[in-house]
Amino acid sequence: MISFKPDKDLPPPEAGVHYSFPFVPYDIQLDFMKSLYAVLHGGGIGIFESPTGTGKSLSLTCGTLTWLKDYDRLVQQELQVKIDLLRKEIARLEKENEVASDWITGQYNAMGQRKELGELTVFRDALEANRKHVLQLKDKAVLQKIRWVSAKDVADRKTDTLKEESLTMQEVVVDDDEFLIPGDSDESDGDVDPGDTKEEIERYKPVQVIFCSRTHSQLGQVVGEVKETTHAKDLRLMSLASRQSLCINADVRKLKSNTLINERCLEMLKKAGKSNTKGNSEDGSSAKKRRKTTAQKSCPYYNQRAIEGLKNGTLFEVPDIEDLVKAGMREKACPYYASRAAIADAQVLMVPYQLILHRRTRQQSGIDLRGSVLIIDEAHNLLDTIAAIHSQELNHEQLRMAKLQLAAYKARYFSRFSTKNLLRINQMIFIATRLAKLLTPEVKPLGSGEKSTRASRMLQTHELLVESDTFNLNLTDILAFCERSRIAQKVHGFAQSGPPELLDPGAPEKTQPKVGMSSKGSTNSLKGLLKSLEEENKRKAQSKKQGRASGAPSKLVEMKNDTNQENADAAQQQVKHPVSNVIRPLINFLECLTEDSSGDSRVLLALNEKNPSQSSMKYLLLNPGARFEEIVQHCRSIVLAGGTMQPTEELTEQIFRNCRERVTIKSYPHVVPNDAVLPIALARGPSGKEFLFNFGNRQNADQLAELQSTILNLCQVVPNGVVAFFSSYDYLELFCSKLEESGNRARLEERKKIFREPRTAGQVDKILLEYGRAAKSATGALLLSVVGGKLSEGLNFADELGRCVVVVGLPYPNRTSPELAERMRYLDRTLPTSTAPLSSGSAGSEYYENLCMKAVNQCIGRAVRHIRDYAAVVLLDSRYCNSERVRRKLPVWISERMTCVGRYGQAHGSLVKFFRDHKAKRAE
């Protein structure tokens, strides 16, 4: 892949009109775009903090798209200038050589110039080819629009076609070999030369902008803002999402689970390929091995011609997820595969975190980061997001079911597996068995005096492999087999579509479907299978007894025994309930183990003696920066943006430690006037008792009573909605019980209607709707929420919904958590101790404090969402007043305006004046 880097500097435009901003920008918006422009052109890394309501997303998109257009124009101009200069220089050297005595040196100099000219000429040709390709895409888009004008006739014809196809699909023949993995003849590693092919080398890859955010709704809002600008004209933008968001096949969408949707989609695609290759080649004997089904058929929306048309028709339309789904329904084409087909041609990709931050997912999606500009919005939790994406948890029940399903699958196709495939399946069963054994608490004899098994253990990955006796298995080869054979999908399909005897032995014989044989033959065969499995278990028990008598059995015998354990149970317990894919989590866990090459991860074993099936092992990534390093190396430029990015030190220490010279950090104030926000740090309540909501003081009855009095007084003076955030659900529960016992709840209800954040996500929308109505009423409402809960991030409590935000205490996480403790120890070992005056000391302690402050900042950011909004922010804890280090980690627009108050009376007077003044302004 060829590239060309202009030498000429590209100064950022000075006026907002040059950025195609849809209105006159504020000063901070203009400065944001200019700083962003400079970072992008210099190939730097930018960390931008701009509070919600300051037009951060619009500034990001306008600044980036302006630079992208200017950069493309600069490349073309400077390329032509350089080619012309080289031609003149070569001509001059050739003339000099004609009369020079030292013609060898002259020819050598001219040779270097000719080589450079040849490279630039190739690049110019590639650039021209790309320009023509874009023009062809525009022509195709126009033709597609013309077709959509007569959409009614087209839809009628397609409907008739689909009806005919659906009748044909109902007669799809499914082989009994449907779930059989390929034999040795089909088994190849499929290794491809990692180097670029000749076509890729000679192809020009323009700079691509990849815009990331946490949710599809946030990406949709950004797309909507882009549509309102002049940048939308001729812009090639595509939104990417999972199948769960883009699938339009009703039969697949009803599966709900993203994993199940993925599996079903891949199965239907395979059937689409098989249905095209099925002919009359089957003889009479092979016909006996097949059966007809209407439940599993190929997808009617997977039509390459329709998908190509959908891609061409939407690429220039700046579509969000909803636009793609609507267009897909209209064109009877799959939006998921249409969006994937548009990746290479798009100038801008709108993607969720998972598609970028996880390397394997990124590669499978076909996203190439080389030379691209990566913008990550809402990046305040980037480190935690990377760690979460690369973590994988397995519980004992999943391992048990994986072992049972693999054993039943092996028993069903045993005679038809190749030796290599059989070996890999045996290894998978062995791994599942051994990992499950680690999660099985040892039962101690009564009165033995031995200590019970520890509730949790932290292991390094090599320790896990040693303890599970899998250290000498080549996990890379096993994973290659899993990917090549698609065993997760096949075993899952086998478990779902198997005969009733494998899934529910109690099913009446007359209801059993045929599986390539008569019902009677199938029943006898499966009964024989069950009997053989039982006999195998008996032989295993006998071999164990003999092993104990003669010594420990060899590992080969033990592996063979483990692969057959509980096979009879597998044939009897598979689908009494809907089956989920339990092989995929096991494969994902093994992939995590293979990625740990530098010892920057751990495995947490959590044993549950009361309910062993819930015992689990979790892969923990301790160094997220290592996974992000590849992204930093490939991208031209990276921009991290958020409303509350403080503290930024952990980003520079853990992610950009090796390229600090490239980092630019900008933190902007809020656009609202100074008198629109009233931040107050309150150290004591109405009766003068100190607020110190630490762990040892959380049960203090006097402090809880003081907290009740404070919230009662706040609700008396604050109009409309008040949102109070507590450190945990347990502490919120304790507060509510004390509020009820004291009788203060009735007094509080007279002033505000009380709402409480539910623990279950399904009730959140209902609570928010009712709270919104009450907050806009004359009396107002109080919403009791939890820091880090469902209401502390991503929600908008603007205007009457959030006239006051109260944060109770400092929500430090549980320091005794094995996961957190291990992460802190790792940071202490790998990162230097900070010597800054306001630092908390060790890197682990700094991380611990940052977790708390980032959560507080997110709660604060729920209010004051636009320039005409106003709100008070009340922080209840003496540490907000006493610790300069804590205040420094608050958002700039809060810390610069915050007043530390020793007694509640002072705060009460400020609040009364604040809301009285704003009421008078609104009246004017």
Side-chain angles (χ1 to χ4, degrees), residues 819-884:
E819 184 174 342
L820 177 58
E822 185 66 26
R823 197 177 299 277
M824 290 174 63
R825 283 194 294 268
Y826 177 82
L827 291 174
D828 287 340
R829 287 194 305 269
T830 56
L831 293 182
T833 300
S834 177
T835 58
L838 296 178
S839 172
S840 58
S842 69
S845 297
E846 190 75 12
Y847 170 76
Y848 177 69
E849 190 170 88
N850 290 345
L851 286 176
C852 169
M853 295 311 300
K854 285 190 292 185
V856 170
N857 293 343
Q858 282 302 299
C859 296
I860 293 173
R862 297 312 95 211
V864 192
R865 308 290 289 189
H866 57 84
I867 193 171
R868 290 179 295 276
D869 201 359
Y870 63 94
V873 176
V874 181
L875 307 177
L876 300 181
D877 200 294
S878 59
R879 289 170 290 184
Y880 288 110
C881 297
N882 301 334
S883 175
E884 177 66 22

Side-chain angles (χ1 to χ4, degrees), residues 486-510:
R486 296 177 62 242
I487 193 169
Q489 293 93 322
K490 291 179 183 295
V491 174
H492 177 61
F494 169 76
Q496 283 192 314
S497 306
E501 284 84 352
L502 275 177
L503 309 175
D504 185 4
E509 186 172 324
K510 63 182 180 180

Side-chain angles (χ1 to χ4, degrees), residues 677-691:
V677 184
L678 179 62
I680 297 175
L682 186 58
R684 297 178 184 275
S687 63
K689 291 185 174 62
E690 183 184 13
F691 284 135

Side-chain angles (χ1 to χ4, degrees), residues 501-631:
E501 284 84 352
L502 275 177
L503 309 175
D504 185 4
E509 186 172 324
K510 63 182 180 180
T511 63
Q512 297 160 2
K514 299 177 181 179
V515 188
M517 60 185 74
S518 67
S519 178
K520 182 177 179 180
S522 176
T523 303
N524 292 337
S525 174
L526 288 166
K527 284 181 178 178
L529 171 63
L530 291 171
K531 185 176 180 180
S532 65
L533 294 176
E534 290 174 359
E535 291 174 353
E536 186 67 30
N537 280 340
K538 291 179 182 179
R539 287 196 298 272
K540 178 193 168 185
Q542 292 175 358
S543 65
K544 278 190 173 182
K545 290 180 181 179
Q546 294 172 359
R548 282 193 291 266
S550 60
S554 68
K555 185 167 182 179
L556 183 61
V557 173
E558 195 169 353
M559 180 185 292
K560 182 177 179 182
N561 290 336
D562 286 331
T563 58
N564 293 308
Q565 183 180 9
E566 298 178 356
N567 280 353
D569 292 338
Q572 296 175 357
Q573 298 181 17
Q574 285 290 315
V575 192
K576 292 183 180 178
H577 303 287
V579 179
S580 60
N581 194 325
V582 292
I583 309 299
R584 176 53 60 190
L586 174 59
I587 294 175
N588 291 343
F589 186 82
L590 297 180
E591 287 176 348
C592 290
L593 296 181
T594 59
E595 290 179 357
D596 178 36
S597 58
S598 56
D600 59 357
S601 62
R602 299 290 185 272
V603 177
L604 173 63
L605 302 184
L607 304 184
N608 189 329
E609 294 186 0
K610 294 182 179 179
N611 187 2
S613 66
Q614 295 306 309
S615 297
S616 64
M617 60 177 60
K618 184 177 183 181
Y619 176 88
L620 306 174
L621 178 63
L622 303 180
N623 183 15
R627 299 295 189 272
F628 200 76
E629 182 66 27
E630 181 183 3
I631 296 176

Side-chain angles (χ1 to χ4, degrees), residues 159 161-171 297 300:
T159 301
T161 304
L162 285 174
K163 287 180 180 178
E164 295 175 4
E165 289 179 354
S166 64
L167 293 174
T168 306
M169 288 170 195
Q170 290 180 359
E171 298 300 321
K297 56 187 179 183

Side-chain angles (χ1 to χ4, degrees), residues 274-329:
K274 278 191 172 183
S275 63
N276 293 332
T277 58
K278 291 284 183 182
N280 298 322
S281 58
E282 295 179 340
D283 55 21
S285 60
S286 62
K288 294 180 182 179
K289 295 183 179 180
R290 55 187 176 88
R291 55 190 171 98
K292 293 181 180 180
T293 181
T294 58
Q296 296 178 342
K297 56 187 179 183
S298 58
C299 182
Y301 303 103
Y302 188 72
N303 181 299
Q304 291 292 349
R305 184 174 180 181
I307 289 173
E308 183 69 15
L310 179 60
K311 167 216 160 185
N312 294 333
T314 56
L315 185 58
F316 289 89
E317 295 297 312
V318 192
D320 58 15
I321 301 300
E322 293 182 0
D323 296 331
L324 283 173
V325 170
K326 290 178 182 177
M329 293 291 290

Side-chain angles (χ1 to χ4, degrees), residues 401-412:
M401 290 303 298
K403 178 176 63 176
L404 294 176
Q405 291 182 14
L406 284 166
Y409 177 73
K410 169 194 165 186
R412 176 66 183 85

